[in-house]
Each structure stands twice: as structure tokens, then as C-alpha cells.
């Protein structure tokens, strides 16, 4: 059953909201579609960014890449108040659509919002709240949308790291779990997963119908001025780099004390490699079990992997000292090789990785030296 048709006064707009620091998922901004028809007293937002955090096993499903988002239609006033309270800018780009194109888009959105159709499998890079409206708009146009040539050529990692530039721990986490494909340069349409890129592309785009070309956007309205705050650089003492440098210094002093006293503190290696193993299990899960794109291959698996748990068994029992030696030897060679090839590997490494890698390299190197000096 079709929805009542729009009047000739109707307009359809793309809404883009600037990033906010309210939560991890808000630092990337947001996009939605607005249907405004004063004759029919309709002012509705179609929002593809709705999810239920209380859903069972949400965290597990999100990590596995099986998160379901949904389309929800609701009154524009609620949308406006929500984003005004966050202090973010809301920009409305009124689309230059023909009456029949507006009607086609309106009917498609209503159909898509039905309970049996509204849920979709979310994908951060390729199928999210910003990419879905683009598909709906392009499918409703009786012609083609031509976008201006790309002037910048960022990678996926460049784009998301810019969004998280004031959140050093978020940047660190993203750099750790996202693999080599994230360092690929994006195509123009792939940049649309971030609303800021989408807004810029729409500003310069044209609709080509036959031999005529017209701007895709006929008017841009600022519905809420962005509460621009001075950009806060992350505090160094609490940044990942500072914290891990401090940890490295502690481990270095412990190792020096072992060398000076000609002894070995087994619990130190057990604790360090335990946490490395935990991180390795997470990376292994994301790389080989989850269906998230851009997770595999991940070079960080060379120094963070589940096999560290096997090492802990060798470190804990004296009679396994020989096995522990060979484990440390392999770990030392792998980390050394990775470090030598650091600038040749086509994957970005966060600077905070350096002290963590150095800790594992130091402990394995000390194990080899202990074996030479017969220290147990």
C-alpha cells in the first residue's frame, strides 16, 4: 500500500550533522533525509542510524560485524532538538529533484521503513547512515548524478584518524585493530561513509538528465550553528604513547635489575605476555572470525597473537626452559624483522606501538642473553 502522495510544495533534503564528542560513534558525524511538505503538514526525518544497544550480545555481534541497524521515520523537531542539545551543526542541502523524483524517493523511503524492510546489516565503511541515503537518492533520479573529480585522496585510516584526532585512545584502538586494507586510498564514493565528505561532494555534484546538467543541491541551510570549541589536543601525560613509554621504562628497570642480580623474575614475563595474548586473541578474532572489512591482513598479528599463551606455559615451569628459549628466539626474530621492515610494510603503525613492541622485544632478548649466561 502506497503512502499518500506529496504535494507540489514538498522538498527533500539531505541533513548532515557535524561530529560531537558525546560518544565514540558520534565523532564521525551523521546524515539523514528530511521530507518537508507544508501543504500536507509533514516534516519527517528518515534516519538510517538507529540501533538498539540493549539488544542481547550487542558487543559480541558488533565485534563480529553482525550489527543490525534500522531505518526510523520520526518528526523532524525531535531530530533537531537532539542535535541542538549536542551543540553540533546541522546542515540542510535541499535537493534539486523533479516532482516525480521526489515522489519516487518518498514512496521508496516509506516502503523501506516498514517493519519487514527497515533492518539492515550495518557496515561502518560501506553501508551506514550516510551511504544509504545516497543510494536512495540516486535510485530515484531520472538521470545520473555526476560528482566533481576528487581533489584529495585520503585513505580510510586517514579519514577516521582525522575524526578521532582529539581522542588519542580511540585512534590507538582503531590503528591496532584495523588492518592493511584500511590504508588503501578511497574512491570518491567510498568517502561518502563520512558525512563531511558526503556534504562536500553533494555541494559540487550535478544531475544530468539527457543533455542538461543542473546542480544536485539548490540551497544549503544552516539549521543549527555549530558550537565551535577550541580544538583540544590530547594531553600527553595521559596519551597512549606516554602511558606505554612509562610502562617500558618500568620493564627496562626490572630487566636491568635482573641482569645486575643475575636472576629472573618469571611472573614479569607471564604478566606481560598474558596481556599480549589477550590483545592477540582480539586481533585474531577480528581478523579471522569477524566479517568486518579491512581487518585482514593485520601486520600487528606478528607481535600480538594468541600463541603468547603457549609462551606463558613455557615461562612458568622450569623444566620447559628450553622450549621457553626457542619461543623467545622466534619472538625476538619476528619482532626484529618487523622492525627492520617497518617503513616497507604498507600499513600504518601508531607511534604508541613502539614502546609495546620494545617491551616484548626486550624480554625476549633478555631471555636469549640469560640462556647464554645460564641464568634461571
Amino acid at each position: 500500500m502506497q503512502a499518500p502522495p506529496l504535494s507540489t510544495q514538498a522538498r527533500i533534503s539531505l541533513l548532515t550533522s557535524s561530529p560531537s564528542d558525546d560518544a565514540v560513534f558520534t565523532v564521525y558525524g551523521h546524515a539523514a533525509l528530511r521530507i518537508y511538505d507544508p501543504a500536507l503538514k509533514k516534516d519527517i526525518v528518515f534516519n538510517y542510524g538507529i540501533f538498539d544497544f540493549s539488544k542481547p550480545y550487542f558487543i559480541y555481534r558488533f565485534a563480529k560485524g553482525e550489527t543490525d541497524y534500522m531505518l526510523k521515520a520520526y518528526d523532524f523537531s525531535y531530530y533537531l532538538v537532539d542535535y541542538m542539545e549536542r551543540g553540533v551543526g546541522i546542515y540542510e542541502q535541499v535537493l534539486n529533484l523533479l516532482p516525480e523524483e521526489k515522489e519516487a524517493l518518498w514512496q521508496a523511503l516509506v516502503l523501506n521503513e516498514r517493519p519487514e524492510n527497515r533492518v539492515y546489516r550495518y557496515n561502518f565503511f560501506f553501508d551506514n547512515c550516510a551511504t544509504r541515503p545516497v543510494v536512495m537518492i540516486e535510485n530515484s533520479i531520472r538521470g545520473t548524478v555526476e560528482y566533481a573529480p576528487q581533489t584529495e585522496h585520503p585513505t580510510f585510516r586517514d579519514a577516521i584518524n582525522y575524526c578521532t584526532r582529539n581522542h588519542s585512545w580511540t585512534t590507538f584502538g582503531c590503528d591496532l585493530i584495523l588492518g592493511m586494507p584500511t590504508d588503501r586510498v578511497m574512491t570518491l564514493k567510498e568517502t561518502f561513509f563520512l558525512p563531511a565528505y558526503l556534504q562536500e561532494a553533494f555541494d559540487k555534484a550535478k544531475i544530468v538528465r539527457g543533455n542538461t546538467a543542473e546542480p544536485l543541491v539548490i540551497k544549503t541551510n544552516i539549521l543549527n550553528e555549530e558550537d565551535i570549541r577550541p580544538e583540544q589536543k590530547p594531553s600527553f601525560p595521559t596519551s597512549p604513547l606516554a602511558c606505554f613509554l612509562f610502562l617500558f621504562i618500568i620493564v627496562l628497570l626490572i630487566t636491568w635489575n635482573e641482569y645486575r642480580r643475575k636472576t629472573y623474575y618469571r611472573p614479569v614475563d607471564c604478566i606481560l605476555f598474558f596481556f599480549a595474548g589477550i590483545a592477540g586473541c582480539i586481533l585474531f578474532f577480528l581478523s579471522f572470525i569477524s566479517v568486518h572489512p579491512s581487518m585482514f591482513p593485520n601486520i600487528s598479528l606478528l607481535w600480538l597473537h594468541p600463541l603468547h599463551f603457549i609462551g606463558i606455559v613455557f615461562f612458568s615451569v622450569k623444566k620447559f626452559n628450553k622450549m621457553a628459549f626457542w619461543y623467545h628466539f622466534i619472538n625476538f626474530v619476528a619482532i626484529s624483522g618487523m622492525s627492520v621492515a617497518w617503513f616497507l610494510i604498507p600499513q600504518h603503525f601508531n607511534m604508541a606501538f613502539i614502546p609495546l613492541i620494545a617491551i616484548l622485544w626486550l624480554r625476549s632478548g633478555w631471555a636469549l642473553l640469560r640462556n647464554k649466561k645460564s641464568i634461571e
Side-chain angles (χ1 to χ4, degrees), residues 194-211:
L194 288 177
Y197 285 100
L198 176 60
Q199 180 187 356
E200 182 181 358
F202 267 41
D203 270 338
K204 302 174 183 177
K206 294 186 179 297
I207 300 178
V208 179
R209 303 184 185 94
N211 296 322

Side-chain angles (χ1 to χ4, degrees), residues 251-270:
V251 175
L252 182 62
L253 292 174
I254 292 173
T255 306
W256 170 252
N257 189 58
E258 288 176 315
Y259 175 78
R260 188 169 57 85
R261 293 175 176 270
K262 294 182 173 57
T263 188
Y264 172 43
Y265 304 138
R266 292 180 183 273
V268 173
D269 278 351
C270 290

Side-chain angles (χ1 to χ4, degrees), residues 38-82:
L40 298 181
K41 297 182 179 180
K42 289 183 184 294
D43 199 354
I44 303 171
V45 166
F46 285 85
N47 185 353
Y48 281 95
I50 305 299
F51 64 91
D52 184 3
F53 190 78
S54 64
K55 204 170 182 179
Y57 311 111
F58 179 86
I59 298 297
Y60 170 78
R61 292 178 64 84
F62 184 84
K64 197 169 184 293
E66 295 180 347
T67 310
D68 288 331
Y69 273 47
M70 68 177 70
L71 169 64
K72 184 176 181 181
Y74 52 95
D75 194 276
F76 170 72
S77 61
Y78 295 120
Y79 183 91
L80 184 62
V81 168
D82 183 21

Side-chain angles (χ1 to χ4, degrees), residues 9-20:
Q9 300 178 41
R11 72 169 188 251
I12 300 181
S13 312
L14 175 71
L15 302 177
T16 51
S17 304
S18 56
S20 74

Side-chain angles (χ1 to χ4, degrees), residues 159-337:
I160 62 175
N161 281 1
Y162 180 78
C163 294
T164 62
R165 63 193 181 281
N166 296 326
H167 305 269
S168 56
W169 283 97
T170 302
T171 302
F172 170 81
C174 291
D175 283 342
L176 185 64
I177 66 173
L178 292 172
M180 198 182 300
T182 317
D183 295 288
R184 174 174 65 79
V185 172
M186 294 184 286
T187 65
L188 175 62
K189 282 202 169 184
E190 285 173 339
T191 66
F192 294 174
F193 84 96
L194 288 177
Y197 285 100
L198 176 60
Q199 180 187 356
E200 182 181 358
F202 267 41
D203 270 338
K204 302 174 183 177
K206 294 186 179 297
I207 300 178
V208 179
R209 303 184 185 94
N211 296 322
T212 63
E214 299 178 334
L216 173 61
V217 175
I218 54 174
K219 185 180 180 183
T220 299
N221 301 315
I222 301 177
L223 304 180
N224 182 50
E225 290 281 0
E226 185 174 0
D227 181 13
I228 300 176
R229 304 176 179 90
E231 188 165 306
Q232 299 292 325
K233 293 293 182 182
S235 175
F236 180 74
T238 59
S239 69
L241 180 59
C243 292
F244 296 140
L245 277 173
F246 181 69
L247 177 61
F248 172 74
I249 292 171
I250 292 175
V251 175
L252 182 62
L253 292 174
I254 292 173
T255 306
W256 170 252
N257 189 58
E258 288 176 315
Y259 175 78
R260 188 169 57 85
R261 293 175 176 270
K262 294 182 173 57
T263 188
Y264 172 43
Y265 304 138
R266 292 180 183 273
V268 173
D269 278 351
C270 290
I271 293 171
L272 292 173
F273 281 82
F274 172 79
F275 285 106
I278 290 290
C281 287
I282 295 172
L283 290 187
F284 183 89
F285 176 86
L286 292 173
S287 297
F288 295 101
I289 298 176
S290 82
V291 293
H292 279 296
S294 303
M295 294 292 182
F296 180 83
N298 189 337
I299 303 301
S300 290
L301 282 166
L302 289 175
W303 62 282
L304 289 178
H305 48 76
L307 295 178
H308 286 317
F309 285 119
I310 297 177
I312 293 173
V313 176
F314 298 155
F315 311 152
S316 304
V317 184
K318 276 191 174 184
K319 68 178 182 179
F320 291 154
N321 279 355
K322 186 173 182 180
M323 298 300 294
F325 166 80
W326 284 110
Y327 186 88
H328 278 301
F329 176 79
I330 294 171
N331 190 58
F332 184 83
V333 170
I335 292 179
S336 298

